[in-house]
Amino acid sequence: MGVKIAKNRVNEFLKYLKEEYILYAPVEENGVSKISKIEDTSDIINLPYRTQISLKPIFFPPEQKFFRFEKKNGGVEIEDYLPQEGDDKSIIFGVRGCDVNAIEVLDKYMLDEFEDPYYRKRRENAIIIGISCDYPKESCFCTAFGGMVPERYDLWFTDIGPHFYVDIGSKRGEKLIDDKFFEEASEEDEMRKIRRINSVETKINRKVKTNLHDIKKYYHKIKNRADDSIWEELGRKCVSCGKCNFICPTCHCFDVKDMTNIDGSAGERIRVWDSCHLYDYAKTSAENFREERKARVRYRIYDKFVFPVMRYGVYACTGCGRCSEVCPAGIDIHAVVRRLIK
Amino acid sequence: MQFLNLEAKILEILKYLNIKNFRLAKEYNEMPVDIAFVEGTPTTREEVLKLLTIRKESKILVALGTCAVTGGVPGLVNMMAKKEAMEVYDGFPPDVPIDPKPLEYYVNVDYNIYGCTFSKDELIELITSLIIGKEYRDKEYSVCVECSLRENNCLLDDGHLCLGPITRGGCKALCPNNGKMCLGCRGPYEDANIKGHIKILQDMGFTKDEIIESLSLFSYEKFKEVISWLKEE
Ligand code: SF4
Ligand code: SF4
Ligand code: SF4
Ligand code: SF4
């Protein structure tokens, strides 16, 4: 059985959490909604759906410095920035299902086969308090993948009128349940929660009408369309701006650069996000193996619906719809997938 | 003149470079040199000859800034009748005017430093590469890349005619960061999908004339083929 919290107590609860944790929550900065570190809980905004920017930059920022180096006494001295990352515990409040699922996918790339210590440090101590959406954005299609409540979370809030119903998903989450704020939920509360989630998901479904649950089947279907004329068509439209990659909560490609002083005797090594849509992404000393734009467009779709399935058994798309929202050429990933599985 | 604005960095640079010939900042000029930075583009016969001499007398020639790289704003006169252009020059046409072209039209250019005004960071990057013997490469991606990394709201979404998608990156999205659309001062990059972007702008409701005007502002020379295609379309 879950618990519930009165809506007018949520702010106090967050203030209470802030005493011990670094708190992240949805805010608006320069007209862009994102999840940021909270100084004052009155900055938190109430959105009925996801923010424009995902969770990704919290764990994997667009530019990240790894270390500083300096040539000294015939050797090279290195100052690693990893210890500065801190072990502070953080709580991320107000996350949507598509983003929680996406961060789990990102974990596979960053912590599974190859471990990224910088990512691990930020990710390990982060507690997730998610929330069901009130209604979807135009581009949302999470129900194609199973719906808006993820399998794993620490706490999960759902609006049931004057209260939020709170599902407890982990030991870490359970520890946050303080009697000061929470009360036992009744069976009726639980029914309300279920009805609520169903009604929002039905609304999304009415628009989405795609079901990709059978991963094996759809991955094969998409894989078999490698020579389709759709790629030619999309390749003509795409302007290779990379926005779909940067905005995607599961895209994880980066470039590593050394920024040095003028004689190269000291500098910093940094990583910067990269995009598979860019011309020099696949350029090697021998050749550019995705020189044609249509090959790049196809690669992104395949790296969402084919390659990750082969590697990790999951799609690397959770239906957040951000890439479709930002694409200046109007390339809508949901529409593309629908055509591919027809 | 942006060179003089490098301030603190210039002292460091001077440890490695010995400036022999700086027409606007130094009195006497010596040739030959290892590296020649050429700003602007020739508009008279004498200037073309001077450019040819500089090329002969330097190991590395760097085109500095938009006018040198793309023909720039002076390239706009190529669109107008000669008579009109002279009117613009207020009745005092440059003696024996010739069409402003990118430097590479006349001579081999080793490196281009793009932008109006050109990016100091890229100039330092180039000088650093030359000093430590690292390869310096042109950015082969657009302004949008740098704009997205800064999490800006896209100006196209607000209906502005932004040239970001077809303009070479490297300025760190200076204009969009300040809420101004990219005017394309760095010119197009090789991989730019210019026709794709024209389609986007047309779908947004911009007319052919508006698009042509915008493409012509900084890089008429580079866009002239696509402009004549668009006119006939
Ligand atoms: S995709 Fe689903 S979970 Fe994500 S914001 Fe939209 S409705 Fe909410
Ligand atoms: S591919 Fe698009 S819809 Fe899917 S997770 Fe990434 S941004 Fe969201
Ligand atoms: S956002 Fe659209 S135009 Fe830009 S790279 Fe992605 S698919 Fe191409
Ligand atoms: S504002 Fe301009 S430069 Fe920035 S992403 Fe949009 S089109 Fe590209």
Side-chain angles (χ1 to χ4, degrees):
Chain A
M1 180 74 56
V3 293
K4 61 181 179 180
I5 181 171
K7 281 181 175 166
N8 58 15
R9 305 289 319 270
V10 172
N11 195 29
E12 278 167 73
F13 172 57
L14 295 176
K15 276 190 181 149
Y16 157 82
L17 293 179
K18 219 171 128 314
E19 286 166 19
E20 208 182 320
Y21 298 88
I22 295 180
L23 180 67
Y24 289 84
V27 295
E28 199 179 293
E29 280 170 27
N30 305 320
V32 180
S33 58
K34 52 169 87 167
I35 299 196
S36 283
K37 206 179 271 181
I38 300 297
E39 302 301 336
D40 182 343
T41 51
S42 66
D43 294 340
I44 300 174
I45 54 168
N46 269 319
L47 286 177
Y49 38 57
R50 63 164 174 79
T51 46
Q52 280 164 277
I53 309 276
S54 77
L55 284 186
K56 179 171 77 171
I58 300 177
F59 305 116
F60 174 36
E63 274 191 20
Q64 183 164 33
K65 292 177 177 170
F66 286 153
F67 57 80
R68 201 190 115 79
F69 59 88
E70 191 169 352
K71 285 186 193 155
K72 250 189 195 161
N73 319 321
V76 182
E77 216 165 77
I78 289 184
E79 184 202 345
D80 192 348
Y81 294 147
L82 184 60
Q84 292 174 21
E85 284 286 318
D87 306 299
D88 309 316
K89 293 180 288 179
S90 58
I91 289 193
I92 308 181
F93 174 79
V95 192
R96 306 294 166 171
C98 50
D99 279 353
V100 177
N101 284 332
I103 211 76
E104 300 253 335
V105 174
L106 199 57
D107 286 349
K108 294 198 188 300
Y109 289 100
M110 305 296 260
L111 301 175
D112 212 22
E113 215 174 322
F114 308 99
E115 183 185 309
D116 181 317
Y118 297 84
Y119 178 88
R120 177 178 286 289
K121 209 136 180 216
R122 291 180 174 213
R123 175 72 175 104
E124 215 163 40
N125 293 314
I127 294 176
I128 304 254
I129 304 183
I131 183 167
S132 306
C133 292
D134 297 326
Y135 48 90
K137 286 197 103 169
E138 185 64 37
S139 57
C140 291
F141 65 114
C142 59
T143 51
F145 303 92
M148 60 179 189
V149 183
E151 259 171 55
R152 282 193 287 183
Y153 48 78
D154 294 301
L155 292 179
W156 194 263
F157 281 43
T158 304
D159 187 338
I160 51 164
H163 290 85
F164 283 111
Y165 187 93
V166 181
D167 283 295
I168 301 169
S170 74
K171 283 244 153 57
R172 291 198 301 191
E174 198 173 350
K175 279 203 196 124
L176 303 177
I177 303 298
D178 190 299
D179 293 347
K180 263 195 299 207
F181 308 103
F182 295 88
E183 51 196 290
E184 194 99 343
S186 65
E187 233 163 86
E188 202 182 313
D189 290 329
E190 190 172 11
M191 288 314 294
R192 255 192 225 128
K193 175 202 81 172
I194 294 171
R195 276 202 305 272
R196 172 76 190 195
I197 293 172
N198 282 343
S199 95
V200 177
E201 287 185 346
T202 311
K203 234 182 269 168
I204 308 174
N205 256 330
R206 220 173 278 144
K207 186 172 60 101
V208 172
K209 290 195 198 80
T210 316
N211 178 332
L212 299 167
H213 299 198
D214 190 344
I215 294 194
K216 279 230 168 75
K217 175 172 154 201
Y218 292 112
Y219 130 79
H220 271 296
K221 272 196 154 175
I222 297 174
K223 195 169 166 222
N224 289 336
R225 304 287 293 272
D227 297 321
D228 208 273
S229 61
I230 187 172
W231 309 118
E232 187 76 47
E233 174 196 325
L234 299 178
R236 267 197 303 275
K237 284 188 180 173
C238 169
V239 290
S240 306
C241 63
K243 290 167 60 157
C244 51
N245 294 116
F246 300 132
I247 205 75
C248 176
T250 72
C251 274
H252 48 272
C253 287
F254 57 83
D255 196 5
V256 174
K257 301 180 186 177
D258 284 346
M259 304 299 280
T260 68
N261 61 357
I262 213 139
D263 64 1
S265 63
E268 285 179 314
R269 179 158 298 175
I270 62 168
R271 85 156 139 211
V272 187
W273 287 354
D274 202 350
S275 149
C276 57
H277 278 277
L278 308 185
Y279 177 79
D280 61 358
Y281 178 90
K283 204 163 155 189
T284 65
S285 53
E287 57 164 348
N288 187 336
F289 50 88
R290 275 194 297 279
E291 188 158 13
E292 283 184 299
R293 213 180 306 275
K294 66 172 186 192
R296 292 180 248 159
V297 173
R298 182 179 61 202
Y299 182 82
R300 174 173 73 104
I301 305 292
Y302 273 38
D303 207 23
K304 298 291 163 210
F305 296 98
V306 177
F307 307 137
V309 175
M310 295 163 80
R311 220 159 131 186
Y312 299 122
V314 296
Y315 297 124
C317 175
T318 64
C320 77
R322 286 189 180 88
C323 55
S324 311
E325 191 175 88
V326 301
C327 176
I331 295 175
D332 174 342
I333 195 163
H334 176 221
V336 170
V337 170
R338 280 190 72 159
R339 274 173 70 183
L340 291 173
I341 62 172
K342 246 203 332 244
Chain B
M1 282 283 85
Q2 184 83 344
F3 220 133
L4 294 180
N5 295 335
L6 294 172
E7 292 127 16
K9 280 271 180 187
I10 205 155
L11 294 172
E12 213 188 323
I13 292 173
L14 284 173
K15 281 196 258 169
Y16 299 91
L17 304 184
N18 179 7
I19 298 188
K20 295 216 165 163
N21 183 336
F22 197 162
R23 282 186 41 219
L24 282 173
K26 203 163 174 271
E27 296 274 311
Y28 63 92
N29 300 328
E30 289 169 36
M31 279 288 192
V33 295
D34 289 324
I35 314 172
F37 295 94
V38 180
E39 236 187 323
T41 189
T43 51
T44 65
R45 195 177 299 273
E46 282 85 86
E47 284 171 355
V48 174
L49 293 174
K50 202 173 280 168
L51 175 64
L52 295 175
T53 317
I54 295 175
R55 173 70 277 188
K56 241 185 271 157
E57 305 267 318
S58 53
K59 288 193 196 131
I60 296 171
L61 190 144
V62 182
L64 205 55
T66 294
C67 295
V69 175
T70 68
V73 180
L76 258 183
V77 301
N78 300 359
M79 278 178 78
M80 314 183 223
K82 278 277 138 34
K83 223 176 97 217
E84 264 177 71
M86 293 190 190
E87 274 161 24
V88 174
Y89 281 105
D90 213 15
F92 297 107
D95 46 322
V96 207
I98 55 164
D99 289 345
K101 301 273 186 195
L103 294 186
E104 63 180 17
Y105 180 82
Y106 302 104
V107 293
N108 283 332
V109 172
D110 298 295
Y111 299 101
N112 288 309
I113 297 291
Y114 302 91
C116 176
T117 56
F118 68 80
S119 144
K120 292 188 217 176
D121 288 349
E122 282 186 305
L123 178 61
I124 291 168
E125 208 181 311
L126 170 63
I127 294 174
T128 307
S129 303
L130 292 173
I131 291 173
I132 65 181
K134 203 168 109 182
E135 189 192 358
Y136 177 85
R137 274 185 294 164
D138 278 344
K139 315 281 184 295
E140 287 176 287
Y141 52 78
S142 70
V143 173
C144 293
V145 169
E146 297 173 332
C147 189
S148 320
L149 292 182
R150 283 164 184 75
E151 298 179 346
N152 292 333
N153 247 334
C154 180
L155 293 160
L156 291 172
D157 291 342
D158 297 335
H160 295 288
L161 203 168
C162 189
L163 287 187
I166 54 171
T167 303
R168 190 187 303 278
C171 59
K172 309 210 166 92
L174 188 64
C175 300
N177 281 345
N178 292 300
K180 306 232 159 52
M181 58 211 188
C182 168
L183 299 176
C185 84
R186 302 168 57 81
Y189 58 111
E190 293 73 13
D191 183 53
N193 183 354
I194 300 166
K195 288 186 183 170
H197 193 44
I198 290 175
K199 171 83 174 37
I200 293 174
L201 295 173
Q202 284 180 321
D203 288 349
M204 283 170 69
F206 289 107
T207 63
K208 272 187 196 181
D209 287 344
E210 286 169 317
I211 296 169
I212 291 172
E213 191 189 330
S214 160
L215 293 177
S216 311
L217 181 57
F218 281 103
S219 308
Y220 175 75
E221 276 296 316
K222 298 263 167 176
F223 284 125
K224 63 185 176 194
E225 268 148 47
V226 82
I227 286 175
S228 46
W229 163 82
L230 181 59
K231 275 183 183 153
E232 263 146 49
E233 233 246 299

